Amino acid sequence: EETANSVTIKVQNRAKYEKYKQRVAIYQLTGTWCTYCPQMVAGLEGMVDTWKEHSLVMAAHAGSASEDDPFAISTAGGDLGTLFLSAFGGQGYPSCVYDLVELSGERSPSKIQKIIEGYLRDYPATCGVKIASTRREGKTITIDAAVTSSTGGSYDLGYVILLDNQSYSQGTSLDGKYHDIICAFSSNLMAMGDGKVSLKQGEEYTKTFTIENFPEVYKDSDLRVVVFALSSKGGRVINDNLTVCPMGGSQDYELN
């Protein structure tokens, strides 16, 4: 019998409204010189496996006026970390940008998990993404990407190459190791470009990316390939979904 204090709980199977497994894109803005940044790394690593399965960390390292960062990528607008921080109105490091929607400086695993939970709830994925990757002669990478829409809409495919297991004894990392480092990316990393396409429900679009002159020094075992699909929701660009595979490997569509 219902009373004034009764609470109604509605349970819904996620697969009923979201066909494909969703991952929240987490752009980690840190620097090897930053004494506070290991707290953010620890917060992200401290999440429980359920939330790690539904998110993907990509580290955009920032340079410093006083110290070099060996993992900071230079762009036309400055290094990648500074570019993200400026674009999303950040004040300093460490910070994270979630799904290209907002920036947050939260560092505790529980608070980061709350943010991810909110995105999974409020921005269900409308598409699935798959990858096949190859590397030829050490320096040419080919990425065969595909997106299929469960609802219909406009999408733009892009890629990121992540570098793991890198040592840097002069950094502030407690063990001297750095992971999830963005070392190559497509030009549409933060905004949809001229390559966007409109798909009907159930329609698939494929695209091939070729990266020439990739550093041969990086081993395949230390590299991962990410393909993301941008879309537009509520008048803003959002990372609708993304997936990842080892270098030279593949990942098919993942269903809920």
Side-chain angles (χ1 to χ4, degrees):
E1 181 181 346
E2 291 192 4
T3 69
N5 295 320
S6 295
V7 176
T8 301
I9 300 175
K10 182 179 180 181
V11 178
Q12 187 174 6
N13 185 342
R14 191 172 188 90
K16 296 290 186 182
Y17 64 90
E18 189 180 44
K19 181 177 179 179
Y20 298 101
K21 177 180 178 179
Q22 182 185 9
R23 286 184 176 85
V24 175
I26 305 177
Y27 303 91
Q28 172 195 302
L29 313 185
T30 49
T32 62
W33 44 267
C34 174
T35 56
Y36 300 104
C37 288
Q39 297 174 18
M40 180 67 79
V41 175
L44 293 165
E45 291 178 346
M47 292 190 295
V48 298
D49 289 344
T50 299
W51 301 109
K52 288 181 180 179
E53 275 291 308
H54 286 279
S55 61
L56 182 65
V57 176
M58 296 170 281
H61 280 276
S64 167
S66 58
E67 298 179 50
D68 290 333
D69 189 320
F71 307 128
I73 294 182
S74 297
T75 70
D79 63 74
L80 190 58
T82 301
L83 197 64
F84 264 102
L85 196 70
S86 176
F88 290 91
Q91 299 300 310
Y93 305 96
S95 298
C96 286
V97 173
Y98 294 87
D99 267 351
L100 299 180
V101 174
E102 68 172 342
L103 179 144
S104 172
E106 295 290 0
R107 305 173 196 177
S108 75
S110 61
K111 291 182 178 180
I112 293 172
Q113 289 169 182
K114 272 290 186 187
I115 294 173
I116 296 170
E117 181 183 15
Y119 277 88
L120 292 172
R121 179 188 64 243
D122 298 336
Y123 298 94
T126 68
C127 69
V129 182
K130 70 176 180 179
I131 319 171
S133 63
T134 57
R135 187 178 183 188
R136 301 191 309 275
E137 299 178 355
K139 59 184 179 181
T140 300
I141 296 172
T142 301
I143 303 168
D144 293 313
V147 58
T148 184
S149 177
S150 55
T151 62
S154 294
Y155 302 91
D156 196 12
L157 284 173
Y159 71 84
V160 170
I161 307 295
L162 297 180
L163 178 63
D164 296 316
N165 305 315
Q166 298 304 294
S167 297
Y168 183 53
S169 60
Q170 298 178 56
T172 58
S173 171
L174 297 180
D175 63 357
K177 289 280 191 177
Y178 291 85
H179 309 276
D180 311 311
I181 306 160
I182 297 175
C183 63
F185 56 92
S186 55
S187 60
N188 61 342
L189 183 63
M190 291 194 292
M192 295 176 79
D194 295 335
K196 65 180 179 181
V197 295
S198 293
L199 300 180
K200 298 177 182 178
Q201 183 178 11
E203 189 175 8
E204 182 184 63
Y205 170 73
T206 62
K207 186 172 184 176
T208 298
F209 300 97
T210 302
I211 307 167
E212 303 284 2
N213 300 315
F214 187 80
E216 294 182 73
V217 66
Y218 298 147
K219 300 183 296 184
D220 283 8
S221 58
D222 291 335
L223 295 168
R224 288 176 291 147
V225 182
V226 177
V227 168
F228 59 82
L230 304 182
S231 68
S232 180
K233 294 181 181 179
R236 61 170 48 170
V237 172
I238 184 171
N239 199 314
D240 192 294
N241 211 350
L242 72 170
T243 195
V244 60
C245 73
M247 176 60 71
S250 62
Q251 177 59 60
D252 204 347
Y253 296 121
E254 296 178 88
L255 300 176
N256 269 325

